Amino acid sequence: ICKYENNEILPDFYTLLELCNAFNINVNELCDKIEEDKDDFENPFGKEKLYLYYYSSNKLIGSIMKIEKETSKYNVRFFNGVKNKSYASYYEGKMIADKSITYFDLNTNYKNTKNKVQIIVNIPWMFENETYNGLYTGITRNGLPVVKKVLISKKEIKNFDKYKMQLMFSKQDGKNLYKDNALIFKNLEDYEIL
């Protein structure tokens, strides 16, 4: 733990969630401690345009994130629910990243309603990926809190069959939720869908 405290190493995505559970805090409280003004991190995706996918009411939702560097920080524009050159909602915010986790903190004032979306993405630092798994937290149209699995891609995905299992909650996820009392995704391999 002293290596975390001294910024010698950073926890991976799963360890971060386990630490939050152990200390009874949420990820926001922990991530607020990260120095946001440092510009010693680069965009871990290496792209200015990313594609984000998740399921809502069993329908695949595609979104676009545009990342722009501004002196010592990264600004993000999030076009949620993109379809036929239009989008369902728009968010702006910031990106904080290190070798193993990227954190997006996004807000909107769309139609005079304040809404916040947070996305946490696991970044495998040992090798270059085209897709990344993460969690999306926000508010439903009915005003209820929601957590979804997301997939972020460097390229638009035309045939999604290969990736569908990564976005569906599995029986193993349900068992882990019951056992850990937390959404911790340790393995996204082929599980049977709930």
Side-chain angles (χ1 to χ4, degrees):
I1 291 189
C2 70
K3 287 186 177 184
Y4 295 141
E5 293 172 338
N6 295 329
N7 290 325
E8 293 174 28
I9 62 170
L10 295 170
D12 64 21
F13 176 71
Y14 306 111
T15 305
L16 176 68
L17 291 176
E18 289 174 350
L19 286 170
C20 289
N21 288 334
F23 294 118
N24 198 26
I25 61 173
N26 66 42
V27 174
N28 295 337
E29 293 172 287
L30 191 61
C31 288
D32 284 344
K33 310 260 185 267
I34 297 173
E35 293 181 49
E36 299 173 23
D37 295 333
K38 284 186 172 182
D39 72 348
D40 62 349
F41 75 89
E42 290 298 319
N43 178 344
F45 305 101
K47 300 278 185 180
E48 293 177 355
K49 183 177 184 180
L50 300 172
Y51 299 87
L52 182 138
Y53 301 93
Y54 64 91
Y55 277 97
S56 181
S57 301
N58 290 320
K59 292 182 183 175
L60 181 66
I61 306 296
S63 304
I64 294 174
M65 299 176 83
K66 293 188 177 179
I67 302 169
E68 301 164 348
K69 186 168 185 175
E70 180 185 301
T71 55
S72 65
K73 63 182 179 177
Y74 285 93
N75 295 320
V76 178
R77 294 183 297 143
F78 179 48
F79 303 88
N80 193 21
V82 173
K83 191 173 186 179
N84 300 325
K85 297 186 179 185
S86 65
Y87 51 89
S89 53
Y90 173 76
Y91 297 82
E92 292 180 343
K94 60 188 172 192
M95 175 181 77
I96 302 168
D98 64 41
K99 285 195 284 188
S100 61
I101 294 179
T102 299
Y103 177 78
F104 296 94
D105 187 25
L106 307 164
N107 299 288
T108 188
N109 261 335
Y110 186 69
K111 294 184 179 178
N112 296 322
T113 59
K114 291 193 180 238
N115 195 351
K116 185 172 201 128
V117 166
Q118 295 161 336
I119 302 166
I120 302 171
V121 182
N122 188 25
I123 306 291
W125 58 272
M126 293 187 294
F127 47 91
E128 184 75 18
N129 277 13
E130 288 297 316
T131 61
Y132 304 86
N133 296 300
L135 294 174
Y136 168 111
T137 63
I139 305 294
T140 66
R141 291 180 188 193
N142 300 334
L144 300 172
V146 66
V147 175
K148 297 175 182 278
K149 286 184 174 183
V150 296
L151 180 79
I152 292 182
S153 176
K154 293 180 180 182
K155 299 176 185 172
E156 185 175 9
I157 298 174
K158 301 287 188 191
N159 183 358
F160 212 79
D161 294 340
K162 168 178 159 179
Y163 301 99
K164 185 175 182 175
M165 292 296 292
Q166 292 179 17
L167 295 178
M168 305 300 276
F169 283 93
S170 67
K171 286 186 178 184
Q172 187 62 45
D173 292 332
K175 289 176 185 176
N176 291 344
L177 175 61
Y178 181 76
K179 183 181 118 217
D180 299 331
N181 200 31
L183 285 171
I184 301 172
F185 302 107
K186 298 175 184 170
N187 188 354
L188 297 172
E189 311 292 58
D190 296 327
Y191 287 131
E192 187 179 337
I193 297 175
L194 285 174

